[in-house]
Amino acid sequence: MVETNVNINRNNSEVRVRFAPSPTGDLHVGGVRTALFNYLYARHTGGKFLLRIEDTDRKRSTPEAVKVILDGLAWMGLEPDEEPVFQSARFDRHIEAANKLLEDGHAYRCFCTQEEIEQRRELAGDKIYMYDRHCLNLTQEEIERKLVTGQEFAVRLRIPQGDIVFNDLVHGEISVSGGEIDDFILLRRNGTPTYMLAVVVDDLDMRITHIIRGDDHLSNTPKQILIYRALGKQILEFAHVPLILGPDRKRLSKRHGATSIIEYRDFGYLQETMINFLGLLGWSPGDDRDIISRQELLDLFDIKGIQSKSAVFDESRARWLNGQYLGRSEFDDVAAELDKFAREASESGSLLEMPDKQQIKAAWNLLRTRVHFLKDLFDEYRYMFRDPDVFDPKGVRKHFMRDSVAERLASLADDFASLEPLTSDTAEQVIRTRAEEWKLSAGKLIHPVRLACSGATGGAGLFETLEVLGKNSVVRRLKHAVELIHSETFDIS
Ligand code: GLU
């Protein structure tokens, strides 16, 4: 029998999709991308996005592991539209379905022990051993006798002849011969349901219409289709999303760096960045844009745009994107987070004291298009808040170790001290006037002043930087550099 899902008419039914993670203690960015695609599809079609926690592995499925998933989704703004469903709470329904399949003759009891199966596998010399249907051939009396003596049994699906054909919305038509599928287990000998059974029963009970999941599940789909059929149900729509690869084109894993969404959050990635980044990872609206908002994704998302080849995770792109979003952020949008990082930096001793809000705001406005992460402001641009104690060695060689630099910096310190007020304009005037007087290019003063005031050779415009630093800091830093140059105590190793 050939059955395809191409023509199922679902026009009248509301789209219901689900994200079905197994709580393993981590919420992988690949999982979050699957969740996002489901969420976007639900929102785009006016449907519902649901969450099912597949917590049947009781050892790994701790409350903490569940919390990691809920926190990660909440941080991304991907909350489900209904209460999460816990698979472990639904064993009765799974068992009920297995019993129905037994009654209807689509499944049968298998009393074979693991050892017996192993022996047969060895005898057959077969690596890809398929269950030999030993128990399918038991007579009713034999079955009764085993049941009466309390023998444990598993429940296996009886695989019908014929091809299983279905249309995957990403990969197109897929066809598998029933002969390639083993009479797989639905209920284990200890009475617990297998993933294969549980997932189908749950998707049916949750009235899911579309299964959008990683394509590592593509090979499970024909088996699940057989369960739908045996239960007399229409099969759902399937869209298998290609896996995410690392830059070496191997499946993205810890070897490639951070893979947990929480690590990205804690590193300082913004929610908008991750939505944009994961939204365009393996999906495209049909153009090659890099920047897309959550709203645009909601407006444009369709399953057709999911690419059938794997997407490569390029963290440098995420970093760049984060910078783009920060560059557009107003101080008030990020003030609370900046305050948190400033507090951390002052508590750890990286800053000598907690900067005041005005200082942080001025530094933010000056540097927001340069930082990639909020914490960069107190890290890479720490000099905005405390005098530099390290000076770029190349810069020192190039800009400090020259005749007359100390004298010039000393004069400039006096010039700046007399400015009332020191603004970027008045600071620029001082530098240009002195450059002319000393017959130098302005750069010959700008570079050493920058190095003296920041320890660095690059950054935002010098004059604006000086204004934000304020007169006292500028004068103090220039004088300190003069002393250092005279004492030749720079560590430029
Ligand atoms: N629990 C499965 C996983 O985490 C997903 C099952 C599914 O989406 O059907 O890989």
Side-chain angles (χ1 to χ4, degrees):
M1 187 177 74
V2 173
E3 186 183 296
T4 102
N5 56 345
V6 193
N7 298 319
I8 291 179
N9 180 355
R10 294 190 191 280
N11 290 345
N12 298 326
S13 62
E14 169 193 64
V15 163
R16 288 171 68 83
V17 291
R18 75 342 184 240
F19 174 48
S22 309
T24 58
D26 198 5
L27 182 57
H28 193 275
V29 283
V32 177
R33 196 225 8 202
T34 303
L36 176 63
F37 284 6
N38 275 286
Y39 166 90
L40 292 173
Y41 190 58
R43 286 288 171 281
H44 180 78
T45 54
K48 293 274 190 300
F49 167 64
L50 312 183
L51 173 65
R52 181 171 70 238
I53 306 282
E54 303 217 314
D55 55 345
T56 48
D57 178 346
R58 303 306 294 159
K59 277 202 280 311
R60 293 171 88 183
S61 305
T62 57
E64 294 75 42
V66 172
K67 186 171 181 308
V68 166
I69 294 174
L70 298 178
D71 287 353
L73 292 179
W75 178 65
M76 290 287 280
L78 302 177
E79 276 108 346
D81 295 317
E82 294 175 7
E83 281 299 303
V85 170
F86 287 84
Q87 193 158 58
S88 62
R90 298 185 32 81
F91 279 177
D92 291 353
R93 285 288 298 143
H94 307 146
I95 293 168
E96 207 176 297
N99 286 335
K100 179 173 184 318
L101 292 173
L102 271 179
E103 262 167 47
D104 295 348
H106 293 298
Y108 61 94
R109 294 181 181 84
C110 170
F111 297 90
C112 300
T113 62
Q114 195 57 39
E115 296 73 52
E116 285 166 339
I117 290 180
E118 277 306 319
Q119 272 170 11
R120 277 182 242 149
R121 185 200 308 272
E122 270 168 37
L123 269 178
D126 193 354
K127 285 208 187 67
I128 338 165
Y129 175 81
M130 297 210 345
Y131 181 64
D132 61 3
R133 296 193 152 171
H134 180 269
C135 291
L136 184 60
N137 303 317
L138 296 178
T139 62
Q140 200 51 41
E141 291 79 66
E142 283 172 311
I143 295 175
E144 298 291 331
R145 216 172 315 125
K146 286 179 189 288
L147 288 177
V148 168
T149 57
Q151 276 197 37
E152 282 187 340
F153 60 88
V155 175
R156 288 182 184 271
L157 188 73
R158 177 181 181 168
I159 307 296
Q161 293 290 310
D163 292 343
I164 302 128
V165 183
F166 66 101
N167 181 52
D168 185 86
L169 297 173
V170 176
H171 295 275
E173 187 175 283
I174 302 210
S175 168
V176 180
S177 152
E180 288 169 27
I181 302 177
D182 164 83
D183 285 354
F184 60 88
I185 292 180
L186 301 171
L187 279 189
R188 299 186 190 88
R189 287 167 68 83
N190 65 8
T192 60
T194 57
Y195 157 72
M196 218 57 85
L197 174 67
V199 78
V200 171
V201 174
D202 292 349
D203 283 334
L204 285 171
D205 283 356
M206 290 166 77
R207 291 179 291 114
I208 299 301
T209 56
H210 295 68
I211 295 186
I212 305 173
R213 63 183 172 192
D215 72 4
D216 47 338
H217 288 288
L218 195 53
S219 61
N220 291 328
T221 306
K223 295 185 182 177
Q224 291 169 9
I225 287 177
L226 291 175
I227 303 179
Y228 285 104
R229 279 196 207 159
L231 287 170
K233 302 291 183 188
Q234 268 189 343
I235 63 171
L236 315 187
E237 300 282 1
F238 292 97
H240 285 93
V241 183
L243 295 179
I244 300 176
L245 305 180
D248 58 358
R249 307 203 65 84
K250 301 238 166 64
R251 186 176 176 164
L252 185 71
S253 72
K254 285 204 172 32
R255 272 184 309 118
H256 296 108
T259 53
S260 137
I261 193 72
I262 297 297
E263 285 175 272
Y264 281 86
R265 178 194 72 185
D266 294 347
F267 199 80
Y269 280 96
L270 302 172
Q271 186 206 85
E272 294 101 299
T273 303
M274 294 314 282
I275 292 281
N276 182 150
F277 180 65
L278 296 176
L280 292 180
L281 199 61
W283 177 83
S284 120
D287 53 33
D288 55 5
R289 71 179 88 187
D290 292 311
I291 307 249
I292 193 162
S293 66
R294 176 186 284 258
Q295 190 57 48
E296 287 169 313
L297 281 167
L298 292 178
D299 293 342
L300 297 172
F301 189 83
D302 60 2
I303 294 181
K304 276 204 300 298
I306 300 177
Q307 288 142 15
S308 57
K309 62 173 186 6
S310 299
V312 174
F313 190 92
D314 177 0
E315 202 184 325
S316 65
R317 209 176 166 78
R319 189 182 136 80
W320 171 83
L321 257 183
N322 213 51
Q324 295 294 310
Y325 279 103
L326 288 180
R328 298 162 182 212
S329 301
E330 294 301 330
F331 176 67
D332 287 342
D333 301 337
V334 289
E337 281 284 289
L338 283 175
D339 186 78
K340 194 187 87 192
F341 284 115
R343 205 164 293 283
E344 270 170 29
S346 33
E347 276 161 16
S348 72
S350 167
L351 294 187
L352 301 178
E353 57 189 4
M354 179 68 190
D356 70 41
K357 193 168 171 180
Q358 283 315 313
Q359 249 181 312
I360 301 177
K361 180 173 182 176
W364 175 254
N365 287 337
L366 180 67
L367 293 162
R368 66 180 179 176
T369 57
R370 295 178 174 268
V371 295
H372 291 100
F373 299 102
L374 290 171
K375 67 177 162 49
D376 290 352
L377 199 64
F378 307 102
D379 205 336
E380 204 178 325
Y381 297 102
R382 188 169 77 156
Y383 64 79
M384 297 308 301
F385 308 99
R386 69 174 276 187
D387 294 359
D389 49 4
V390 185
F391 294 82
D392 178 88
K394 271 205 203 112
V396 167
R397 259 183 237 116
K398 205 161 155 204
H399 306 304
F400 280 176
M401 298 193 149
R402 288 178 182 271
D403 288 346
S404 320
V405 167
E407 290 70 26
R408 287 182 202 138
L409 290 180
S411 303
L412 287 171
D414 291 340
D415 293 344
F416 287 132
S418 66
L419 286 178
E420 210 51 74
L422 186 159
T423 64
S424 65
D425 288 342
T426 58
E428 177 167 8
Q429 233 166 14
V430 163
I431 298 260
R432 303 231 179 260
T433 310
R434 284 299 195 182
E436 223 166 277
E437 184 186 326
W438 294 332
K439 302 202 172 10
L440 297 167
S441 68
K444 286 274 179 309
L445 299 181
I446 288 173
H447 293 305
V449 169
R450 177 190 291 287
L451 187 61
C453 291
S454 70
T457 55
L462 176 70
F463 308 125
E464 290 78 9
T465 304
L466 296 181
E467 178 174 329
V468 175
L469 288 175
K471 187 161 91 175
N472 291 345
S473 294
V474 170
V475 171
R476 186 178 63 244
R477 291 176 188 197
L478 289 173
K479 288 189 168 161
H480 183 57
V482 171
E483 276 168 34
L484 289 173
I485 296 170
H486 281 316
S487 65
E488 289 174 19
T489 52
F490 282 110
D491 177 10
I492 53 165
S493 54

